[in-house]
Amino acid sequence: MLFEHDLTDFSNDFKFLQWFDENFKFRAVKPSKKTIYDSKRGNPLSWREFFGICNKFRTVKHISDDDFVVLLTSRRNSLNWFSSFEQGKRNIFVHTGDWEHFIKAHHKYPVAYEVISSILYVLFKMDLDNIDEYVHKFPLGCISDMCEQKSQVILKLRTGDICQTCLDRLIAENVEPALINQALNLFENIRKQTLFRQGFQNNNKISRLKITNDFRFFLLDYGNLEINLTPRQKALYYLFLRHPEGIRFAELIDYKNEIWDYYKSISPFENLDTMQSSIEKLYNPEDKSTLNTECSRIKSAFRDKIGNAEASIFEQYLIIGDRDEKKRISLKSNYLELPI
């Protein structure tokens, strides 16, 4: 996967290799000529040039013909399509720019949708030379909607569906049912997150917070939004979840063994001295700034994902309390799914 943009929110089902060099050299149409790919240049590239980048990447990185290479680029293409694939190969490009003209949500959601739908097109062997036989000119809310007017793409994102005809094509090409289910689950998550970001859904409800066994934080009812925290922030947050009665910051040192156990389970570092020094800053009475900073950053991480929710809901996910009093996370236990 050739990346300019971060799509890690969608990496649960499809594993992405991230690699990109803005000075990436590729061989242009003329075999004797090399050029520099610059994503910021205004003039569009031909499809052949985009796929030339993908094929160069395959050569440099020794990518198997069975694997997909997807170029995510803000550079326009000559036919002004959202995305396309190279006929007979597993090379894809997706245009990441201009989405703000069609949708209020972050562009990573429609871009992720285009990545997965393009992979499915390749798998059911869509023939670009006979495109009319494969696409729906009248939008159905299916991955194969033609969207001759680009604004029609919003229907596909709102439905997150694959019509029966396209499902039958996938089945006829012996595409694994598990992969189809993964794609449908991804579409559903993208659909929910797109609706949430655009304000289509009623954000006056609380979402369940799930913490996986590998300590990833997901808001299940907001389209599996992941809250991105550092290991130290996760250990601190998890400590407060385990103590709904609350903890005074001044008494955090009394829980140092417990938070140390959480941190060891979460942190990728192997140097125990470095880890110990890092976690001790949270309950060091002479270093109050680290604890306050981490709580502030946890708040920012939640605000980044659900900042448009009502304050009464947003605050239930935060570590808060009056000065010198117990701090707590007020989210009720029936909204929590914690590691086993």
Side-chain angles (χ1 to χ4, degrees), residues 148-160:
E148 292 179 313
Q149 296 180 11
K150 280 195 166 183
S151 59
Q152 294 173 338
V153 73
I154 191 66
L155 178 60
K156 296 200 292 187
L157 295 173
R158 288 184 186 180
T159 56

Side-chain angles (χ1 to χ4, degrees), residues 18-37:
Q18 299 188 43
W19 182 87
F20 187 81
D21 181 353
E22 288 193 352
N23 296 318
F24 185 68
K25 295 181 179 180
F26 69 100
R27 194 170 298 279
V29 176
K30 294 181 179 179
S32 61
K33 182 182 178 183
K34 285 188 178 180
T35 186
I36 301 287
Y37 171 72

Side-chain angles (χ1 to χ4, degrees), residues 297-333:
R297 288 175 176 169
I298 291 171
K299 179 179 180 179
S300 296
F302 276 95
R303 185 183 299 280
D304 179 59
K305 299 294 184 179
I306 59 171
N308 58 341
E310 284 192 358
S312 60
I313 293 175
F314 173 66
E315 291 177 355
Q316 293 194 45
Y317 298 97
L318 308 181
I319 302 172
I320 54 177
D322 293 334
R323 185 180 179 86
D324 297 327
E325 297 297 325
K326 288 185 176 182
K327 306 294 192 293
R328 59 174 55 84
I329 299 170
S330 59
L331 194 65
K332 301 298 183 183
S333 60

Side-chain angles (χ1 to χ4, degrees), residues 24-153:
F24 185 68
K25 295 181 179 180
F26 69 100
R27 194 170 298 279
V29 176
K30 294 181 179 179
S32 61
K33 182 182 178 183
K34 285 188 178 180
T35 186
I36 301 287
Y37 171 72
D38 179 1
S39 65
K40 298 178 178 63
R41 289 183 62 184
N43 56 307
L45 289 181
S46 68
W47 289 12
R48 186 175 180 183
E49 287 171 311
F50 279 133
F51 296 137
I53 298 172
C54 294
N55 284 313
K56 180 65 174 179
F57 175 73
R58 284 188 183 277
T59 301
V60 171
K61 291 294 182 178
H62 309 290
I63 303 298
S64 165
D65 291 341
D66 293 331
D67 292 327
F68 285 88
V69 172
V70 183
L71 170 61
L72 305 184
T73 177
S74 57
R75 190 83 168 264
R76 287 187 173 91
N77 61 88
S78 55
L79 295 183
N80 197 30
W81 282 31
F82 285 126
S83 62
S84 191
F85 59 90
E86 186 172 12
Q87 199 75 52
K89 292 188 177 181
R90 297 190 168 191
N91 294 328
I92 295 167
F93 74 80
V94 177
H95 185 219
T96 62
D98 300 330
W99 286 102
E100 68 275 8
H101 299 306
F102 312 109
I103 187 171
K104 294 180 182 179
H106 194 285
H107 68 267
K108 67 182 177 181
Y109 302 117
V111 167
Y113 182 94
E114 291 293 322
V115 170
I116 304 307
S117 59
S118 295
I119 290 173
L120 296 180
Y121 299 155
V122 174
L123 293 177
F124 70 57
K125 298 180 181 178
M126 178 182 285
D127 184 357
L128 292 175
D129 292 329
N130 297 290
I131 191 71
D132 289 344
E133 297 181 11
Y134 292 85
V135 299
H136 313 303
K137 288 201 170 184
F138 181 80
L140 303 176
C142 170
I143 60 169
S144 296
D145 287 356
M146 184 61 181
C147 298
E148 292 179 313
Q149 296 180 11
K150 280 195 166 183
S151 59
Q152 294 173 338
V153 73

